[in-house]
Amino acid sequence: MAQQPRFYKRTYDFGGGAKLTLGSRTLIMGILNATPDSFSDGGRYTNVEAAVAHAKAMVEDGADILDIGGESTRPGFEPVEVKEEIRRIVPVIRAVREALPHIPLSIDTYKAETARAALEAGAHIINDIWGLKGDPNMAAAAAEYGCPVIISHNRHARDYNDLVPDVLADLQSSVSIAHTAGIADEQIWLDPGIGFAKTHEDNLELLGRLSELSALGYPVLLGTSRKRFIKQTLNLPVEELVEGTAATVVLGIAHGCQIMRVHDVRAIKRAALMTDAILYRS
């Protein structure tokens, strides 16, 4: 009989009706890009009204969290100045928070100044693709606000000796940074960083060994939605990658991942509900 994955149980009450509970089912994080150049939906939601409409649609489709970003992190992206990133995201966060006060919001940034502005505007969670290593002030910002922080794996170069042990060691290094800054274990989530400094084969290997990441003792977020390795595997355009994304989500849940960051909320929510019915039985 296959071993049942371990799901960590935690509850977060952010105030104002915004709450999250881990450990009873998979949480769905809907992606809201306030950017002109994201790889699959760039330019669609830079207008505040369009962003709010899309946020409402994702929540109606089953999103538990909304992840708002003002800088594309697609391969070969051009970094955005902090002031411009803040200009893009703060009006969207304020408007979405007003329209959907019960929905927790995360800010997708690796810059401490942007994170602070987002949290002041109403965001609740920091989602850092550089795992607290991109900005030396990020860990202190997260500790100051006492908010959950998503620590993602990333490297400047693909210089692994042994992929999975190296990814785990890198993440443990980021956790040490968090601890040194005063971030509590209960506020730490991990992300394997699928697609970041990893080849097609690296991504597939890491997906097959996600249980080793969930065994570290922290909730794991998985972000595979519409990514290049799925496109390469299926040889399909980016708008036809829902089923491929769903396959990775189901696999991730079976390996203990508890939060899924996705574009196609309705379809992935259904896949997660079916998987949860099997794996979350007491």
Side-chain angles (χ1 to χ4, degrees), residues 68-216:
I68 299 171
E71 176 178 281
S72 172
T73 54
R74 75 192 193 287
F77 78 97
E78 289 294 327
V80 174
E81 293 291 331
V82 169
K83 288 184 179 179
E84 173 61 16
E85 189 179 20
I86 291 172
R87 186 195 68 78
R88 292 176 182 179
I89 57 100
V90 164
V92 172
I93 291 170
R94 287 175 176 162
V96 172
R97 180 74 188 277
E98 182 177 355
L100 299 163
H102 63 294
I103 298 296
L105 307 178
S106 62
I107 173 62
D108 181 2
T109 187
Y110 54 90
K111 305 184 189 83
E113 188 176 342
T114 302
R116 289 177 181 275
L119 294 166
E120 289 293 335
H124 309 91
I125 301 164
I126 296 172
N127 181 12
D128 183 356
I129 66 162
W130 279 105
L132 306 179
K133 297 176 180 178
D135 183 333
N137 298 312
M138 181 63 96
E144 177 184 337
Y145 283 86
C147 65
V149 58
I150 302 163
I151 293 173
S152 181
H153 180 266
N154 208 340
R155 280 190 178 191
H156 290 285
R158 187 194 170 279
D159 52 357
Y160 307 106
N161 292 314
D162 192 348
L163 175 69
V164 175
D166 286 356
V167 168
L168 299 180
D170 288 351
L171 286 169
Q172 288 170 323
S173 171
S174 289
V175 168
S176 294
I177 293 171
H179 288 164
T180 299
I183 299 172
D185 266 346
E186 292 72 22
Q187 304 290 16
I188 296 172
W189 302 358
L190 301 181
D191 178 342
I194 298 295
F196 292 100
K198 298 172 186 72
T199 65
H200 180 269
E201 288 300 321
D202 290 340
N203 290 314
L204 296 178
E205 179 181 354
L206 189 52
L207 282 167
R209 297 175 63 179
L210 285 171
S211 58
E212 296 177 49
L213 176 54
S214 59
L216 293 180

Side-chain angles (χ1 to χ4, degrees), residues 30-47:
I31 299 169
L32 182 55
N33 288 317
T35 58
D37 57 347
S38 291
F39 73 92
S40 70
D41 57 1
R44 293 185 186 179
Y45 310 117
T46 53
N47 174 277

Side-chain angles (χ1 to χ4, degrees), residues 56-71:
K56 288 180 176 179
M58 287 194 288
V59 170
E60 186 174 340
D61 285 343
D64 301 290
I65 312 166
L66 297 174
D67 188 47
I68 299 171
E71 176 178 281

